[in-house]
Amino acid sequence: MLDLHHMDFIFQTKLGTYSLEAQCEMLVETGYQGLTVSAWSKELASLVKVKERWGLDVGALYLIYRQGLESFVINTIESIEGCHSIELALDSGDGVTDLDRWILEKILPIAERKRIDIALYPHARYGMQTTSEAVQLCEEFNNQSLGIVFNGYHWFANQEKLLDERLKAVSPWLKQVNIAGCRLSPLGWGGLATIEPLDEGEMDNFVLMGALKRLGYHGRYGVLGWQSMGGDVFGNLKRSQKSFRSMEQRLIKHPEWSILDSFPN
């Protein structure tokens, strides 16, 4: 059984944010193995207790770098305890900039010393938007601590297409995978695409999971949630978990179903 995590964005609702205790209890009750925590969480100091108390793995910390956040990024990576990796979105300018390279030069030695992975997070509407840009940075730095998150939502929202080709290009540096239900829509995040539970939207995550399995990926999956999903947080967690396990079992029985004749334009 693959490890299934959920990003904590789903707990940040328009009415407020659920406590870390409530988040962990919900994740345990709905069958998840861990979570990704956003760097602006007020409970980062409590992450070291999560594994022992709830049996959940804090797989990653989601962190954004923009100009002016240099000290925050460096200090966060230096001080963080209780998680294995940093999912790093770069947004210092138009495209990848020298500021992005500077911050990587500063934080990679810290990551090596602390045995933490830095996983580049291509993000629609940010400076580093595409998997191609992330691959170029990994080739440039050639550092074992530096890798890539493949985020199905942002790949789909950016309309990068060429799924098998992009996954093959990313695979030497692939650290983890994030997925979401989504549909292209001006009503979605950044005017690009909605973020929904895994049983909604037009993104075929079964095909994505099949392509990853053919590449030999057996790492964890993180589910991306967002406050715009609305409704019952617990119910959305449960729906995504049920959908993921259904796709996982279907791939075991019928992996050939995930191979399409062609990818639609």
Side-chain angles (χ1 to χ4, degrees):
M1 185 173 73
L2 295 166
D3 280 353
L4 184 63
H5 290 208
H6 209 293
M7 301 184 77
D8 70 350
F9 302 160
I10 194 172
F11 299 107
Q12 299 163 10
T13 76
K14 292 184 179 297
L15 299 181
T17 299
Y18 285 84
S19 68
L20 180 63
E21 180 175 6
Q23 294 179 31
C24 291
E25 289 178 353
M26 286 189 191
L27 290 168
V28 169
E29 287 198 30
T30 50
Y32 290 81
Q33 285 69 56
L35 72 161
T36 296
V37 179
S38 48
W40 50 87
S41 168
K42 296 179 180 179
E43 299 188 76
L44 295 185
S46 299
L47 297 185
V48 292
K49 305 175 183 177
V50 168
K51 185 70 173 181
E52 180 180 356
R53 184 170 179 187
W54 291 287
L56 294 169
D57 183 30
V58 182
L61 180 78
Y62 175 71
L63 183 61
I64 302 170
Y65 168 65
R66 295 188 177 105
Q67 187 174 6
L69 293 180
E70 289 80 8
S71 293
F72 176 74
V73 169
I74 292 169
N75 292 338
T76 297
I77 297 173
E78 186 67 73
S79 62
I80 194 69
E81 301 291 342
C83 78
H84 310 308
S85 66
I86 305 294
E87 296 186 357
L88 181 64
L90 299 174
D91 190 26
S92 67
D94 185 13
V96 175
T97 72
D98 286 339
L99 286 172
D100 297 323
R101 295 180 176 89
W102 182 89
I103 198 69
L104 288 172
E105 288 173 356
K106 294 296 182 182
I107 64 177
L108 281 170
I110 303 172
E112 291 178 45
R113 171 165 47 83
K114 299 190 68 174
R115 297 182 180 179
I116 293 175
D117 287 330
I118 304 295
L120 298 173
Y121 189 108
H123 193 300
R125 299 282 199 236
Y126 278 19
M128 184 186 66
Q129 298 195 60
T130 66
T131 57
S132 297
E133 290 169 311
V135 166
Q136 289 169 6
L137 276 175
C138 285
E139 290 175 338
E140 181 179 337
F141 278 84
N142 190 27
N143 188 300
Q144 290 187 345
S145 295
L146 185 64
I148 298 172
V149 183
F150 185 87
N151 190 306
Y153 168 81
H154 289 288
W155 166 81
F156 190 71
N158 271 321
Q159 300 186 60
E160 282 193 75
K161 302 181 181 179
L162 303 173
L163 177 60
D164 290 306
E165 179 181 309
R166 296 316 314 142
L167 288 175
K168 186 176 181 180
V170 166
S171 62
W173 301 279
L174 184 60
K175 298 291 187 181
Q176 55 220 51
V177 172
N178 293 337
I179 57 178
C182 56
R183 70 185 77 237
L184 298 177
S185 170
L187 300 178
W189 189 92
L192 294 174
T194 61
I195 300 173
E196 306 180 31
L198 292 182
D199 59 357
E200 293 284 350
E202 60 188 4
M203 169 62 189
D204 194 339
N205 283 293
F206 176 71
V207 171
L208 171 57
M209 290 173 64
L212 285 160
K213 185 175 182 179
R214 291 191 297 276
L215 272 180
Y217 179 76
H218 301 292
R220 70 176 179 271
Y221 282 79
V223 182
L224 174 63
W226 194 246
Q227 63 180 16
S228 61
M229 288 166 60
D232 177 21
V233 169
F234 185 89
N236 288 334
L237 288 169
K238 199 169 183 179
R239 288 169 58 191
S240 287
Q241 191 272 352
K242 182 179 179 181
S243 178
F244 181 85
R245 294 304 175 200
S246 174
M247 291 186 287
E248 181 184 29
Q249 289 303 310
R250 206 179 318 141
L251 276 173
I252 292 172
K253 294 179 181 179
H254 300 287
E256 73 281 1
W257 286 1
S258 68
I259 302 173
L260 304 183
D261 290 336
S262 62
F263 193 82
N265 293 320

